[in-house]
Amino acid sequence: MFKKLLAMSLSVILLLGITPTAFATDRTDTATNFKADSSESITVDELIEHLNSIDFGREVTFTSLPQSRSSDQELIHFDSVEAVEAYLKQFINEQRELAIPIEAIVQNTCPQRSSESIARANTGWYNTTVWWWGGGNTSIASLTNAEITFYYNSNGGGSVSNITLHNSYMTGIVAATWTHRRGTGTALGGMDTKYSVTGTWFIGVDVLGFPLGASFDETLTSPTITIKMDSDF
């Protein structure tokens, strides 16, 4: 628990380095740059078409949001097309790594069987949530959590098998909304495991007064995670 709180505290400091305010520019200059050959104002359709044509290194889809969202605090505001482009490219493509060791992630397992049955024999099916710091370029300010079911065999020092990953979600400071799509868990022998989750990020942005949504898929892969049962502590 201490390591998880430490990771969340560090995320506050790291997030300061990717705030969108650094990308803000003058709105008049933006209109001139984007519509250099025309005195007409940019339309939301032209803006979306332009943003969807940008190469972000992966497929990013921009869509229009209701105008009522323009004052929503969840939107990140930008005063130029160049600003949102630079922010999203950094958000998506910049590789970030933290040297925080992953160990003893599961400290409290929740058995599917009754406590009396578990007291007689630890072998059985369990539900729990494993977590890891980051795992992808866009999750620098968050912890990736994966809800799993697994079979634990207490013989021979203990081993994990038949892992099913049901859901994933983000905690900590997250600059976007994560929607789980699919995931897998792999037993590596003994109590060592590894996980992969795929989901869709959604970021609400306000560009030149137009509320837009940007979404893209990402797969996050964990380092090796060693599961420890309650009886191990």
Side-chain angles (χ1 to χ4, degrees):
M1 178 61 70
F2 175 76
K3 290 181 180 178
K4 194 167 185 178
L5 292 175
L6 175 62
M8 289 182 180
S9 299
L10 289 174
S11 69
V12 176
I13 299 173
L14 290 167
L15 187 64
L16 296 177
I18 56 172
T19 52
T21 55
F23 298 106
T25 59
D26 182 76
R27 181 175 300 227
T28 302
D29 291 341
T30 298
T32 302
N33 291 337
F34 186 72
K35 299 287 289 182
D37 59 347
S38 174
S39 60
E40 299 177 1
S41 299
I42 182 176
T43 67
V44 64
D45 290 338
E46 291 172 326
L47 177 60
I48 291 174
E49 181 180 3
H50 174 70
L51 290 172
N52 281 333
S53 70
I54 296 173
D55 182 7
F56 289 99
R58 69 184 64 194
E59 184 176 352
V60 180
T61 301
F62 289 84
T63 56
S64 179
L65 296 177
Q67 283 292 332
S68 59
R69 292 288 302 276
S70 61
S71 61
D72 194 324
Q73 293 182 353
E74 293 182 357
L75 297 181
I76 303 176
H77 294 260
F78 298 93
D79 291 331
S80 75
V81 175
E82 293 80 6
V84 67
E85 178 180 346
Y87 176 76
L88 288 174
K89 282 184 175 180
Q90 180 182 7
F91 188 88
I92 293 171
N93 297 323
E94 187 169 300
Q95 181 67 38
R96 300 165 183 268
E97 296 179 358
L98 290 179
I100 296 180
I102 302 296
E103 59 181 8
I105 298 302
V106 181
Q107 296 182 4
N108 294 292
T109 56
C110 303
Q112 291 181 307
R113 304 164 69 182
S114 69
S115 58
E116 180 181 358
S117 175
I118 293 299
R120 292 196 303 268
N122 287 329
T123 294
W125 290 96
Y126 288 78
N127 292 324
T128 194
T129 299
V130 296
W131 60 268
W132 65 92
W133 175 256
N137 298 341
T138 58
S139 56
I140 181 64
S142 69
L143 297 171
T144 303
N145 300 260
E147 298 175 352
I148 64 169
T149 297
F150 64 94
Y151 187 79
Y152 170 62
N153 188 333
S154 60
N155 296 327
S159 62
V160 172
S161 62
N162 298 324
I163 302 172
T164 300
L165 197 152
H166 305 287
N167 186 37
S168 63
Y169 59 92
M170 303 294 158
T171 55
I173 297 177
V174 186
T177 300
W178 171 266
T179 300
H180 176 76
R181 300 300 179 192
R182 59 189 178 275
T184 59
T186 303
L188 302 178
M191 302 301 291
D192 290 343
T193 60
K194 198 166 187 177
Y195 304 90
S196 176
V197 296
T198 298
T200 300
W201 288 107
F202 176 87
I203 306 174
V205 296
D206 181 296
V207 185
L208 300 174
F210 295 112
L212 306 176
S215 59
F216 57 93
D217 292 343
E218 184 175 26
T219 297
L220 307 179
T221 302
S222 78
T224 297
I225 296 177
T226 302
I227 292 182
K228 287 193 175 182
M229 310 298 287
D230 287 335
S231 59
D232 292 338
F233 290 85

